[in-house]
Amino acid sequence: MKRILLLSLPLALMVACSNPSNTPKTDTAPTDSAVAAASTPAAGIDASQLSANHWLLDNAVDASGKRVDGLFVRADKPVTLDFKEGRVSASNTCNRIGGGYTLEGDALTVGNLMSTNMACAEAGVMELDSLVSERLEGKLTVRSLDASTLVLATAKGDVLTFRAEPTAETRYGGEGERVFLEVDAQTKPCSHGVMKDATCLQVREVKYGENGLEQGERGAFENFYGNIEGYTHEPGIRNVLRLKRYQVKNPPADGSSLAYVLDMVVVSEKVK
């Protein structure tokens, strides 16, 4: 058994392994074409509405109305913004990008952005980081914000349109509990209720202390009935996952009262 990959770091640790964006700032006002492409400026920004959703990039045009194709090199994984506790993060780029932000009137101002330092071989993805950073950093105008859409205008006149996808906290009505599960490399046959002749993930809980060190012994692997949102199992790979566990209100008769959502893959190992 050989450890092959440490996949991710918490966003809060980005500063230790990253460089601030060198994107120059400008106070140039948006052009008339950019203003015409957007809706009436918001009288005020509801921070709770920002944090209640993941914001998936749907469209991006420059000041002349031309689509910014470089922002859409991952057609199946749109650039996504998340706002939480005064910080904004961008995902589905090559690296995780994040920084602090402030709100005033219809202005959303993003401070210096930091990112992890991974290399990506996928065509166009390395350039995606800089394209996103140079449009996010600095003063943005919120042209529209409601339950389904966020429209931002940059100082250079680009207009970015995002669609809302409710976060797990919004869908399940709470912050959830952080847990760690080890998922074994192979699934096993299992049967439970309507799940006849099915296969189940094999999981066991891993506990860590406040110092980050593992506590106690890991138990035996057990059948995991259901699914982990955001996680796709690859046979032959054993993972330790950091998850959020939520209570499901009024679950169906044959469903679980618990929902699991992937937060990050902590360790990944290939098992021979």
Side-chain angles (χ1 to χ4, degrees):
M1 182 162 37
K2 183 180 179 182
R3 179 168 297 179
I4 60 171
L5 184 62
L6 179 61
L7 292 180
S8 178
L9 290 173
L11 184 60
L13 298 181
M14 281 183 177
V15 176
C17 63
S18 60
N19 297 306
S21 168
N22 293 318
T23 305
K25 297 178 176 60
T26 175
D27 292 324
T28 304
T31 64
D32 290 342
S33 60
V35 173
S39 59
T40 303
I45 305 170
D46 185 349
S48 64
Q49 195 165 46
L50 281 176
S51 61
N53 297 288
H54 306 294
W55 296 99
L56 285 62
L57 186 64
D58 244 0
N59 193 31
V61 296
D62 63 17
S64 67
K66 182 181 178 181
R67 187 173 186 264
V68 185
D69 291 331
L71 291 171
F72 300 92
V73 293
R74 284 180 160 172
D76 60 332
K77 295 180 179 179
V79 173
T80 300
L81 301 186
D82 285 284
F83 298 85
K84 189 171 184 179
E85 297 176 351
R87 294 188 62 83
V88 58
S89 63
S91 57
N92 289 339
T93 45
C94 175
N95 287 276
R96 295 278 296 182
I97 300 169
Y101 76 90
T102 58
L103 301 172
E104 184 177 356
D106 65 352
L108 188 158
T109 303
V110 178
N112 290 339
L113 293 171
M114 305 292 178
S115 75
T116 53
N117 283 322
M118 297 185 297
C120 297
E122 191 178 347
V125 175
M126 283 293 291
E127 292 78 9
L128 185 57
D129 286 7
S130 60
L131 291 176
V132 170
S133 294
E134 69 187 24
R135 285 165 175 79
L136 283 185
E137 197 172 80
K139 188 174 182 179
L140 303 167
T141 300
V142 179
R143 296 294 176 183
S144 178
L145 173 62
D146 57 34
S148 62
T149 307
L150 168 66
V151 180
L152 300 176
T154 72
K156 290 184 178 181
D158 292 354
V159 177
L160 312 176
T161 303
F162 300 83
R163 71 178 186 272
E165 183 178 278
T167 65
E169 287 81 4
T170 299
R171 288 185 282 117
Y172 296 112
E175 281 296 314
E177 175 188 11
R178 176 177 289 179
V179 296
F180 293 83
L181 290 183
E182 180 184 1
V183 181
D184 204 5
Q186 303 297 339
T187 59
K188 289 185 177 181
C190 62
S191 179
H192 178 70
V194 297
M195 296 174 59
K196 303 297 184 183
D197 301 321
T199 58
C200 289
L201 295 174
Q202 301 299 297
V203 306
R204 59 184 176 183
E205 189 168 358
V206 184
K207 295 184 178 181
Y208 295 96
E210 292 183 0
N211 56 5
L213 299 177
E214 185 171 345
Q215 305 292 307
E217 297 290 331
R218 301 185 188 184
F221 283 103
E222 299 178 347
N223 290 334
F224 183 86
Y225 300 103
N227 69 299
I228 298 171
E229 184 179 327
Y231 174 69
T232 301
H233 181 67
E234 183 179 349
I237 303 295
R238 178 180 293 168
N239 293 304
V240 175
L241 309 178
R242 190 174 78 186
L243 308 171
K244 283 292 191 73
R245 182 166 61 194
Y246 300 90
Q247 293 287 334
V248 178
K249 298 176 181 178
N250 304 315
D254 58 349
S256 174
S257 62
L258 297 174
Y260 293 81
V261 179
L262 179 65
D263 187 13
M264 65 179 286
V265 178
V266 179
V267 175
S268 184
E269 300 174 318
K270 186 174 182 179
V271 178
K272 296 181 179 179

